[in-house]
Amino acid sequence: MSAAIAGSGSSIGAVPRVLTAASTVPTCPKNPGKPMIHDVYFPESFAAAVAALAAGDTLRVHAGVYPEALTGPLPGAADWAGATRIIAAGDGPVWLEPPSGPASYHAILITSGAYVEFSGINVDAHNSVDGLKITSGGANLPHHIRFADAEIKN
């Protein structure tokens, strides 16, 4: 699937960029290393958008029920000032609701990443064993993961 994930301007000085679900993390030729803001709209892939984030980026997730699990690595930052933010866009509820099956054992599985904030991202894990699991995935231990304004039900 090659869904477009369009970037938009930001009040914190981020520069827009456009990602596709199949792309790697691009660099901004005008402002390399600057935090970016991205938008994902249903039925685009929430998990693919998260996988394309770099430390300091913000992902605004627009209203919808996203039928997938989030099990990939998260970006790591050195402190909250450079945190990665995965936030509801404010245009309606956002739900992550994986379908049943082995790929949905965990609705959200975090095995790496640091200084990551989820805000307004609800999880309906009735098809999963775990709604949320934060565990060691190797050398990059996950830490400083924040959840706010969300409901996680199993």
Side-chain angles (χ1 to χ4, degrees), residues 39-132:
D39 290 300
V40 62
Y41 297 86
F42 181 79
E44 296 168 343
S45 174
F46 177 93
V50 170
L53 294 174
D57 284 357
T58 295
L59 175 64
R60 291 186 301 209
V61 185
H62 291 268
V65 177
Y66 294 80
E68 57 191 313
L70 177 61
T71 59
L74 297 174
D79 55 34
W80 283 113
T84 301
R85 290 178 170 77
I86 302 166
I87 62 174
D91 54 359
V94 174
W95 284 93
L96 187 64
E97 186 178 335
S100 60
S104 301
Y105 193 77
H106 309 287
I108 297 179
L109 174 62
I110 299 173
T111 58
S112 67
Y115 297 97
V116 178
E117 177 181 0
F118 290 83
S119 182
I121 308 300
N122 301 297
V123 178
D124 182 345
H126 73 273
N127 289 322
S128 304
V129 172
D130 293 322
L132 168 65

Side-chain angles (χ1 to χ4, degrees), residues 5-25:
I5 300 163
S8 64
S10 146
S11 61
I12 57 172
V15 176
R17 66 179 174 179
V18 177
L19 304 177
T20 62
S23 72
T24 59
V25 177

